[in-house]
Amino acid sequence: MEMETCHCEPESKIKKFAPLVIMFALVITYTIYGQFALGTFATHVAMMDFMGAYFLLFGLLKAINVRSFAKSYAQYDILARENKAWGYIYPFVELALGATYIAGIDSTYINIFVFLLMSLKAYSVWIKLAQNEDLQCACLGGFFKIPITWFTVFEDILMAAMAIAMLLTF
């Protein structure tokens, strides 16, 4: 009996990260459309639109299968590892933040909270990457198998930086 061998090529990085690229493209498209609707480019409004769309979209994906998200998230997030409830609460925090930004509510306290939250997330991922741990990113809920990478750190730092920029342009 002859065994067939699979000459399958490993999944390309482009294909593996396509869902994440598509999600970011949606967020950027929403942000650009919002600026066209205004008829001008307003940096502060664009950042609020971007952050609102980001938190709503990514929060929704996490909330749809919150159990899977919480399990995956606890493998690398400092707060979720120490307090399992945080993994179940976090998607709804993102949804609330998204709704707040989309509604145009610009608050010093919210931006400080986002800065601290996203900085802690970046630090949590950075620790795992520095330890060379191969973990799945929980950023898209349990729908797609995407490893945590330095892009995950970049995305968290970007959100923290936008929160700071919004504080400075408040």
Side-chain angles (χ1 to χ4, degrees):
M1 179 176 194
E2 222 176 281
M3 293 191 75
E4 289 185 37
T5 56
C6 178
H7 297 288
C8 305
E9 294 191 24
E11 188 176 22
S12 72
K13 287 192 185 259
I14 293 172
K15 188 174 182 183
K16 184 184 287 186
F17 289 98
L20 189 59
V21 171
I22 291 168
M23 296 304 144
F24 263 97
L26 288 171
V27 170
I28 290 168
T29 300
Y30 172 81
T31 303
I32 292 169
Y33 177 77
Q35 295 302 295
F36 277 119
L38 282 176
T40 185
F41 185 82
T43 305
H44 197 85
V45 174
M47 285 190 291
M48 287 186 70
D49 286 348
F50 183 92
M51 293 175 76
Y54 173 91
F55 282 129
L56 282 176
L57 183 59
F58 284 80
L60 180 63
L61 289 170
K62 292 169 181 126
I64 289 172
N65 190 351
V66 72
R67 180 175 287 138
S68 175
F69 167 76
K71 183 179 177 183
S72 180
Y73 196 50
Q75 292 179 351
Y76 61 88
D77 183 77
I78 292 170
L79 292 177
R81 196 170 48 240
E82 295 299 319
N83 182 351
K84 300 295 182 209
W86 178 243
Y88 289 89
I89 295 168
Y90 183 76
F92 302 100
V93 169
E94 278 196 352
L95 288 169
L97 289 169
T100 300
Y101 282 120
I102 293 294
I105 299 169
D106 196 6
S107 163
T108 300
Y109 300 113
I110 291 170
N111 289 319
I112 290 170
F113 176 74
V114 168
F115 170 75
L116 294 172
L117 179 67
M118 300 312 285
S119 296
L120 183 61
K121 282 183 64 190
Y123 178 69
S124 295
V125 174
W126 180 81
I127 288 172
K128 292 301 182 178
L129 289 171
Q131 295 170 344
N132 290 320
E133 291 195 35
D134 186 23
L135 299 171
Q136 297 297 311
C137 184
C139 56
L140 297 176
F143 295 103
F144 304 101
K145 302 294 183 209
I146 299 173
I148 60 169
T149 64
W150 292 105
F151 183 78
T152 311
V153 175
F154 168 76
E155 132 188 33
D156 292 336
I157 290 172
L158 173 67
M159 296 300 282
M162 281 198 287
I164 289 295
M166 289 176 51
L167 284 169
L168 297 175
T169 61
F170 191 41

